[in-house]
Amino acid sequence: MSFTRTGEPAVDADPRRWWGLVIIALAQLMVVLDATIVNIALPSAQADLGISDGNRQWVITAYTLAFGGLLLLGGRIADLVGRKRTFVIGLVGFAAASALGGAATTAGMLFGARALQGAFAAVLAPSALSLLTTTFTDPKERGKAFGIYGALAGSGSAIGFIVGGLLTEYLDWRWCLYVNVPIAVIAVFGALALLHDRPGHAGARLDVPGVLLGCGGLVALVYGFSEAQPRGWTDPLVLTLFAVATVLLTAFVWWQTRAPMPLLPLHIIKDRTRAGCFLTMALAVIGMFGLFLFMTYYLQVILDYSPVMTGLAFLPLTAAIITGSTQIAARLLGRVAPRLLMAPGALLAAVGMVLLTQLTVDSSYASDILPALLLMGLGMGLIFMPVFATATAGVAPQDSGVTSATINTSQQVGGSIGTALLNTIATTSSAAYITAHLTDPAQRALVTKEGVVHGYTVAIWWAAGIMLLAGLVAALMVTAKPPKQGAPQEEPVPEKVA
């Protein structure tokens, strides 16, 4: 048996660790695709349960709000209780909440089930990533493992559209929730049989003021961005939520410098490379989520694609993300610095987005959309894999859960910002275009379609600019060198836990 520099047994000595990766990847895929799988099912669920247009956003928002707001708490629980135990609890809870949502008979029941899903996802996601971090410490194996993980994190949303379209069209919208149950059952049995973990820190205590300030601030922030989409940026509720989030998160940072056992040890985000990874992730996801939103509507509303055809249209993007992550980034990360993958990846994705700014009401999928999706997929694969691997490298074992949670938080907050910001830009630009060009009432339908597409293209220009900013941040802040080939990942000696 080999040992790490901390004197603990090296977990990666287990010959079944690659099967463990399958279980971790399965759980991560379930969490990520659940953010989008319900999108395509939403019209059917709305009609079935009599949900109003004003309230239908809560099917999505309830999940993202609980997920994004509780991630730091979930990460710290994983560190204190033990990552394997937290992983299994998260899986069981996620499956139960999914079954509850699938059986929903009222709108409130569905909203509550989605919030429960988000809460258990906040426990599950950081424990999955931290288990991966502590299982694969050899740089070569770590690159392969994080390549697979990054591919799923980047393509999970697109896979959600495909699965959601198939289930909604051929079965029923409820199966978009029921499908999680068999996946979770397989993952639970696999986790119990295959995954190993160091015990949690029994004598440790949870930072309750940090939980209230940090999670409260994140909930207010994510809720504010979610409400900015339907209400507008200057709505009193939106402004109040942003003000509350600012106050709570500022107080949270102040408290973390004084707390005896902080929820988020500030040395995690003070590290320049790690902070650069968090910021790169947030900026990249802003652009990516906006893209998924607009392309879904463009394909279904403008080109009249069915839900299944819309899902299949995203397949090349998914394949490109997997290729970029597992076949390019994972093979090169041991030889080149992470930023030499992340910055070019952001540039590739931005070029793909610029191609989509040329869309019209009668664009062709093969010549106008497909090349852009392939470029964006390759670019995203080159971003996600190095971000996950670099941000979690060299973290003390007792901090791996909260570090993993911080990466997931940057994804969730970035997704909320991207959806609200880019959707607001698109609708504003569309309204201005229609007002300026609608001179003949007989042409209203055509001008409206052209206005909608114009709004999409303006927002995609913004997404491309944000993606370029992500590349700039990666180039300037992520200064880590490539890990040495063949040497186990060195872990810092854990700080003593009081």
Side-chain angles (χ1 to χ4, degrees), residues 2-226:
S2 61
F3 291 84
T4 65
R5 206 163 62 88
T6 62
E8 298 178 70
V11 182
D12 60 348
D14 186 351
R16 299 181 299 172
R17 61 191 176 280
W18 291 104
W19 285 108
L21 171 62
V22 172
I23 299 302
I24 294 169
L26 195 63
Q28 173 65 15
L29 179 62
M30 183 177 68
V31 168
V32 174
L33 68 81
D34 229 72
T36 57
I37 192 173
V38 178
N39 284 33
I40 291 178
L42 186 53
S44 301
Q46 183 180 359
D48 196 11
L49 299 180
I51 303 172
S52 68
D53 286 347
N55 287 333
R56 67 183 175 188
Q57 66 148 332
W58 282 104
V59 177
I60 309 300
T61 305
Y63 181 83
T64 57
L65 195 59
F67 190 11
L70 299 176
L71 269 165
L72 282 180
L73 175 60
R76 187 44 96 192
I77 288 173
D79 288 331
L80 298 181
V81 176
R83 288 166 281 275
K84 178 179 174 179
R85 185 181 302 172
T86 310
F87 183 77
V88 171
I89 291 170
L91 283 169
V92 172
F94 197 88
S98 298
L100 180 66
T105 54
T106 64
M109 188 174 171
L110 180 58
F111 298 159
R114 289 288 285 166
L116 271 177
Q117 275 188 305
F120 282 107
V123 172
L124 181 57
S127 58
L129 181 53
S130 56
L131 277 170
L132 186 67
T133 301
T134 54
T135 299
F136 294 93
T137 55
D138 177 83
K140 190 174 180 181
E141 290 191 347
R142 187 178 173 87
K144 292 178 183 177
F146 276 91
I148 295 168
Y149 188 90
L152 291 174
S155 62
S157 298
I159 295 171
F161 287 122
I162 299 168
V163 176
L166 290 168
L167 292 174
T168 302
E169 193 156 322
Y170 295 113
L171 289 174
D172 182 74
W173 68 267
R174 297 179 184 276
W175 278 97
C176 290
L177 294 162
Y178 285 144
V179 71
N180 292 321
V181 177
I183 295 174
V185 169
I186 294 169
V188 166
F189 282 109
L192 294 174
L194 298 168
L195 296 180
H196 302 281
D197 185 29
R198 301 181 180 94
H201 299 276
R205 298 183 305 276
L206 196 61
D207 174 19
V208 176
V211 168
L212 296 175
L213 293 171
C215 295
L218 285 172
V219 166
L221 184 65
V222 175
Y223 187 23
F225 280 115
S226 299

Side-chain angles (χ1 to χ4, degrees), residues 245-296:
T246 302
V247 170
L248 290 178
L249 292 176
T250 301
F252 171 73
V253 173
W254 171 83
W255 172 250
Q256 295 307 283
T257 63
R258 290 159 175 77
M261 297 187 62
L263 180 68
L264 175 62
L266 292 184
H267 64 81
I268 290 174
I269 55 176
K270 282 181 180 177
D271 179 84
R272 178 173 174 173
T273 288
R274 198 166 287 121
C277 287
F278 296 150
L279 188 53
T280 300
M281 173 64 81
L283 291 169
V285 171
I286 288 175
M288 187 181 76
F289 266 63
L291 169 83
F292 285 145
L293 178 72
F294 299 134
M295 288 311 301
T296 301

Side-chain angles (χ1 to χ4, degrees), residues 1 68 182 240 286 397 455:
M1 178 181 288
T240 300
I286 288 175

Side-chain angles (χ1 to χ4, degrees), residues 353-354 357-358 422 456-467:
M353 290 177 178
V354 170
T357 62
Q358 308 306 307
L422 297 178
Y456 293 165
T457 58
V458 171
I460 292 171
W461 272 115
W462 278 83
I466 294 169
M467 190 63 75

Side-chain angles (χ1 to χ4, degrees), residues 281-365:
M281 173 64 81
L283 291 169
V285 171
I286 288 175
M288 187 181 76
F289 266 63
L291 169 83
F292 285 145
L293 178 72
F294 299 134
M295 288 311 301
T296 301
Y297 276 98
Y298 178 82
L299 292 169
Q300 290 197 49
V301 176
I302 305 300
L303 299 187
D304 294 321
Y305 280 28
S306 68
V308 171
M309 285 298 295
T310 300
L312 293 175
F314 279 108
L315 265 180
L317 175 71
T318 304
I321 291 175
I322 292 172
T323 301
S325 188
T326 62
Q327 301 305 309
I328 301 175
R331 292 173 184 270
L332 292 178
L333 186 61
R335 298 179 176 86
V336 302
R339 62 178 170 184
L340 296 182
L341 296 171
M342 293 158 64
L347 181 60
L348 267 181
V351 170
M353 290 177 178
V354 170
L355 292 181
L356 288 180
T357 62
Q358 308 306 307
L359 290 177
T360 64
V361 293
D362 53 5
S363 290
S364 162
Y365 177 81

